Amino acid sequence: AQSVTQPDIHITVSEGASLELRCNYSYGATPYLFWYVQSPGQGLQLLLKYFSGDTLVQGIKGFEAEFKRSQSSFNLRKPSVHWSDAAEYFCAVGENTGFQKLVFGTGTRLLVSP
Amino acid sequence: DAMVIQNPRYQVTQFGKPVTLSCSQTLNHNVMYWYQQKSSQAPKLLFHYYDKDFNNEADTPDNFQSRRPNTSFCFLDIRSPGLGDAAMYLCATSRRTAQETQYFGPGTRLLVL
């Protein structure tokens, strides 16, 4: 069965600094990979997704992620963090079972300091 | 402009008292999902509908049921809520292919007293 590991439970970054959130997955075939963001009390918003092709994926709000098959990783990056980026970030792998079954990691909570 | 709508946003119920959560969508997607997200945990898929076909996850308790009367609406029924069922319940929709994005609603936070 597939699984997703987000090793960092909390990360604090200064506003304007760069950000990298780690995600490792376990999946037998070529994975479909996603990053979602969840603000407090809100649902999940898709930041970006990878299905195939270029391993560097651009998303919304200035985020990007890089798929590295050799490392089974799909880390999320942003060059300059804004205070509004403070939220919970979930990495997910999609299992192609005829519909898109998502398995989520446990999330990383991002705090942005002034 | 709302695409996936969940009502109510907050629901308080009593231990053992049946409760129904509602989800509607304006995307005309044929797949609708219900997730349970407990505090500080990842969302966990309970079940999904492909059109009217209901698909239950193997580890979803029998206490959780769902109805989908038409394409736009889907309901989550908790027959006898326990304290452990307090959580955020997220509804999502997508088209029926693995490469389609799931669109999530804002969630309903359920409190069980």
Side-chain angles (χ1 to χ4, degrees):
Chain A
Q2 70 276 28
S3 65
V4 177
T5 302
Q6 293 180 249
D8 303 306
I9 298 174
H10 297 100
I11 281 186
T12 300
V13 174
S14 299
E15 189 168 16
S18 63
L19 169 70
E20 182 168 27
L21 302 182
R22 296 183 291 166
C23 172
N24 292 96
Y25 67 89
S26 172
Y27 189 60
T30 300
Y32 300 144
L33 294 162
F34 307 82
W35 274 101
Y36 282 86
V37 61
Q38 186 178 36
S39 297
Q42 300 298 314
L44 299 169
Q45 182 183 21
L46 180 71
L47 287 175
L48 47 79
K49 59 187 178 184
Y50 171 80
F51 292 145
S52 63
D54 192 346
T55 56
L56 185 62
V57 180
Q58 301 298 320
I60 63 171
K61 304 185 180 186
F63 286 93
E64 66 177 27
E66 186 171 12
F67 170 59
K68 293 185 177 180
R69 184 187 299 275
S70 62
Q71 299 178 17
S72 297
S73 69
F74 189 57
N75 294 348
L76 182 71
R77 299 194 295 249
K78 187 170 184 177
S80 178
V81 168
H82 188 263
W83 64 267
S84 60
D85 293 324
E88 185 115 27
Y89 291 80
F90 290 94
C91 181
V93 61
E95 182 180 289
N96 182 7
T97 60
F99 75 101
Q100 190 197 90
K101 177 175 178 176
L102 292 179
V103 174
F104 287 89
T106 50
T108 297
R109 182 167 297 279
L110 173 65
L111 304 174
V112 180
S113 61
Chain B
D1 201 35
M3 294 185 292
V4 183
I5 302 160
Q6 291 189 245
N7 287 305
R9 294 293 309 276
Y10 300 91
Q11 177 73 57
V12 181
T13 190
Q14 293 178 338
F15 183 93
K17 183 175 181 180
V19 65
T20 295
L21 309 182
S22 169
C23 177
S24 64
Q25 54 133 339
T26 60
L27 297 164
N28 204 33
H29 286 167
N30 45 19
V31 190
M32 294 188 77
Y33 310 78
W34 279 104
Y35 290 84
Q36 179 192 60
Q37 185 182 21
K38 295 187 177 180
S39 183
S40 301
Q41 295 185 22
K44 179 179 177 300
L45 182 65
L46 294 173
F47 27 61
H48 77 278
Y49 270 97
Y50 168 49
D51 290 334
K52 285 195 171 289
D53 292 334
F54 177 70
N55 298 271
N56 202 31
E57 291 299 298
D59 55 355
T60 297
D62 293 340
N63 198 26
F64 291 87
Q65 303 288 323
S66 187
R67 296 170 284 135
R68 189 178 185 187
N70 54 52
T71 300
S72 299
F73 285 86
C74 194
F75 299 99
L76 171 63
D77 300 309
I78 308 176
R79 293 191 298 188
S80 181
L83 298 179
D85 296 326
M88 174 79 91
Y89 290 89
L90 297 167
C91 174
T93 74
S94 74
R95 294 189 184 93
R96 191 183 183 269
T97 69
Q99 295 193 6
E100 289 291 338
T101 299
Q102 285 190 26
Y103 293 87
F104 284 80
T108 294
R109 184 165 296 282
L110 178 67
L111 180 63
V112 181
L113 301 178

